[in-house]
Every structure is written in C-alpha cells, then in structure tokens.
Amino acid sequence: MPRIECVVGDLTQQDTDVVVNAANSSLLGGGGVDGAIHRAGGPEILAACRELRAGHLGGGLPTGQAVATTAGRMPARWVVHTVGPVFSADEDRSELLADCHRNSLRVAAELGARTVAFPAISTGIFRWPLDSAARIAVAAVAEADAPGVELVRFVLFDEAAHAVFGAALDA
C-alpha cells in the first residue's frame, strides 16, 4: 500500500510522476481542475487528448475509467485523466468514484510511476459531498493494486477540504 498524505496546494505544480485530472468525458478541457491542468500543461496535453479522441476514445472517456497523456509544461511527467461521476441523491455512484481512483492508480503503475497526486474528484461542479468523497477516495487508494506506487498525495484547494481529507486518513 502506498503512503497517503494530503496537502493544501496547487495540483498543477506538484513535482510527482503523475497528476490525476478530474476530466470531463470529452478530454478536451473544461473548468475547474480540468481547465487548470490544460492551461498549466499547455497545448501538448490537448494535442494528446485529441489523438486519443481520434483513436479508441472517439466517444469520449467513460466515467470511472482512466487514460494517460503527457503533462506538457507541468513538473509532473504524466497526466492521468479520469472522469468522475456526478453526485446523485437517488442513485449510489460510489463505486464509480472509487473506480476513478483505482483505475488512475492502475494506469500510473503501468507507466512506472512512484508518486501520484490526486484532486478531490467530483467535489466541484459534480457536487459530490466532500466528506463522502474523501472516505471513498482514501479507501480506494488504500485498497488499490498499484505495484511500484509509493506515495499518493491528495492536493486540496483549501484548509477546509484538507481537514476533511485529513479526518478520512485518520479514520
């Protein structure tokens, strides 16, 4: 199991092998984390995503799945893009959120990554409650089969999110 930590910071500035992008299914950029990663990484990320869309991901990336591209101009070597589920009070989509973490770590391990930085997937515009997302994310990472991954860092936007993820780590 990798060592798991949480920090307040800028995901795009993490000096890790992999930065995980909370992408939209088009892989062509968007708002929030996705937009920040595309801006920080530059046109190389968009070009790589367009290649994926022109190939086997013509219909977009399905929710819970993950795929890697270059990190462009960011300090990381790769970006692993994953599409988080939209929160629903009527339908339990927890496994899809856990899949985002498991599949991102699987892809990272296949790349030979030792260090991975995650955002709080689905907690922005997809409205997933932060405490639930933190519990699911920490449990999925702790249980993931990711040979060679030594460190997983959750990079949170503010102190409030950091406190929630910290509590999930302590539980």
Side-chain angles (χ1 to χ4, degrees):
M1 180 176 87
R3 184 167 55 96
I4 305 171
E5 64 183 23
C6 60
V7 299
V8 174
D10 182 345
L11 182 68
T12 68
Q13 296 306 307
Q14 297 302 303
D15 189 13
T16 53
D17 295 322
V18 166
V19 166
V20 176
N21 181 17
N24 65 51
S25 63
S26 77
L27 295 177
L28 302 179
V33 169
D34 196 20
I37 284 175
H38 276 268
R39 284 189 301 277
E44 298 88 349
I45 295 175
L46 182 57
C49 288
R50 283 190 172 135
E51 281 183 36
L52 290 168
R53 289 298 308 272
H56 71 284
L57 291 175
L61 185 64
T63 301
Q65 298 303 304
V67 65
T69 66
T70 178
R73 300 177 190 149
M74 292 190 299
R77 293 178 62 191
W78 301 284
V79 173
V80 172
H81 306 265
T82 189
V83 179
V86 174
F87 179 75
S88 170
D90 301 323
E91 178 185 350
D92 184 5
R93 299 177 180 165
S94 300
E95 276 304 303
L96 286 171
L97 185 55
D99 282 345
C100 289
H101 296 85
R102 289 188 286 253
N103 288 324
S104 293
L105 286 173
R106 178 186 48 77
V107 170
E110 289 169 357
L111 292 167
R114 292 184 1 254
T115 56
V116 179
F118 276 95
I121 297 170
S122 287
T123 62
I125 196 165
F126 288 176
R127 302 179 321 278
W128 203 286
L130 193 58
D131 59 337
S132 171
R135 284 192 309 273
I136 292 165
V138 168
V141 167
E143 298 165 357
D145 181 22
V149 175
E150 299 169 2
L151 171 69
V152 171
R153 177 181 301 143
F154 288 102
V155 182
L156 293 315
F157 183 74
D158 59 23
E159 289 294 338
H162 181 266
V164 171
F165 268 77
L169 277 171
D170 292 341

